[in-house]
Amino acid sequence: MLNNKKHSLIDIFLIVACFIASGLLAIYMGQDANWDLRNYHFYNAYSFLNNRLTYDLAPAHMNSFLNPLLDMPFYLLVTVLPPIFVGFFIGGVQGLSIWLIYKIVYYILSDIDISGKKIHLISIAAGVTGFYSAANLSEIGTTFYDNIVSLFVLGALLIIVSSLQNSKAREIYISNKSIIASGLILGCATGLKLTVAIYSLSFIFAFLFIDTSWRVRIRNAIMSCLAMSIGFIVTMGYWMTVLWKNFKSPLFPYYN
């Protein structure tokens, strides 16, 4: 019990530290003024809340018809808070990827015969290394959202890895709750940003390569797919209905 309490305290400390450090880094890097923000990230949320979909003539071109749900938090924050606070908050959230990677690597290394301190150090190093990739650093504090939806992908992976680590005996086993929870998270992320679909599809196929019976593999893949479908409907269902009602295409103007 004491060991679990110690791990919980470490997790809380790392989450807070990652949030603050990444938030301060976002402030240091300066205010976000990227082209996508100027073009549609602010406008799409404004358009949705003010019912301008069929009034304005695609001011952001094809991007005018993307799901506005992902842009809503930023729009609401920036209308009530100074930019520096908004940048800190967005950067802080993006910094949580360090903790997620740390936990994934920690669970993977838990079965290896090395000391607990080394496991923590290697896991933290992995999280920091991932955070300091060029693509991630260039988007800290910005509204590109690649390193926002990536939190969903890493979170889903963490759920599966932790379930594998907690398996009894030597047989590989993933609980139904873990499969459903990870699928829902990935489905929601795909609905928010359609490019996440490449990770969701990979996730489904990955279940087919886990060393267990084919019956279990196929069942897990189908269960994950169904959970993702539900998650996708939660975040994208309403917007697809709006697009269908106005343009007779649930993914307008794509795939026409």
Side-chain angles (χ1 to χ4, degrees), residues 62-137:
M62 293 177 70
N63 294 325
S64 303
F65 307 97
L66 293 175
N67 186 355
L69 187 58
L70 187 58
D71 294 311
M72 207 67 69
F74 170 78
Y75 175 84
L76 295 175
L77 284 173
V78 85
T79 54
V80 296
L81 293 175
I84 191 170
F85 290 105
V86 178
F88 175 81
F89 179 78
I90 293 177
V93 172
Q94 291 164 336
L96 297 179
S97 60
I98 300 175
W99 178 79
L100 289 169
I101 296 173
Y102 155 78
K103 289 298 290 186
I104 291 170
V105 176
Y106 178 82
Y107 278 123
I108 292 173
L109 296 179
S110 293
D111 291 331
I112 300 176
D113 187 22
I114 55 178
S115 67
K117 288 185 178 180
K118 285 186 177 180
I119 292 178
H120 283 294
L121 288 174
I122 295 172
S123 301
I124 293 173
V128 173
T129 301
F131 180 81
Y132 272 95
S133 65
N136 184 62
L137 276 185

Side-chain angles (χ1 to χ4, degrees), residues 50-249:
N50 292 276
N51 196 30
R52 300 184 70 87
L53 180 64
T54 56
Y55 183 82
D56 298 334
L57 297 179
H61 307 284
M62 293 177 70
N63 294 325
S64 303
F65 307 97
L66 293 175
N67 186 355
L69 187 58
L70 187 58
D71 294 311
M72 207 67 69
F74 170 78
Y75 175 84
L76 295 175
L77 284 173
V78 85
T79 54
V80 296
L81 293 175
I84 191 170
F85 290 105
V86 178
F88 175 81
F89 179 78
I90 293 177
V93 172
Q94 291 164 336
L96 297 179
S97 60
I98 300 175
W99 178 79
L100 289 169
I101 296 173
Y102 155 78
K103 289 298 290 186
I104 291 170
V105 176
Y106 178 82
Y107 278 123
I108 292 173
L109 296 179
S110 293
D111 291 331
I112 300 176
D113 187 22
I114 55 178
S115 67
K117 288 185 178 180
K118 285 186 177 180
I119 292 178
H120 283 294
L121 288 174
I122 295 172
S123 301
I124 293 173
V128 173
T129 301
F131 180 81
Y132 272 95
S133 65
N136 184 62
L137 276 185
S138 67
E139 295 190 11
I140 292 298
T142 71
T143 56
F144 289 112
Y145 298 129
D146 296 310
N147 48 4
I148 292 292
V149 293
S150 66
L151 300 177
F152 290 78
V153 179
L154 291 171
L157 181 58
L158 174 58
I159 290 173
I160 296 299
V161 171
S162 63
S163 179
L164 285 171
Q165 200 273 337
N166 291 327
S167 296
K168 304 296 183 181
R170 291 187 175 274
E171 183 179 350
I172 294 178
Y173 170 77
I174 305 174
S175 69
N176 293 339
K177 290 182 179 179
S178 297
I179 296 171
I180 294 172
S182 62
L184 287 172
I185 291 172
L186 278 171
C188 288
T190 305
L192 291 173
K193 192 174 177 73
L194 296 177
T195 51
V196 180
I198 59 175
Y199 304 107
S200 298
L201 290 173
S202 300
F203 219 81
I204 294 171
F205 283 109
F207 283 111
L208 300 177
F209 291 89
I210 294 177
D211 188 15
T212 184
S213 69
W214 275 103
R215 182 183 64 83
V216 174
R217 298 184 197 190
I218 294 173
R219 187 205 65 181
N220 290 347
I222 292 174
M223 190 185 307
S224 180
C225 183
L226 291 175
M228 287 181 195
S229 299
I230 295 172
F232 183 80
I233 291 173
V234 169
T235 55
M236 187 63 176
Y238 174 76
W239 187 242
M240 292 175 73
T241 302
V242 171
L243 294 177
W244 176 264
K245 180 180 178 181
N246 288 282
F247 309 110
K248 302 305 178 188
S249 171

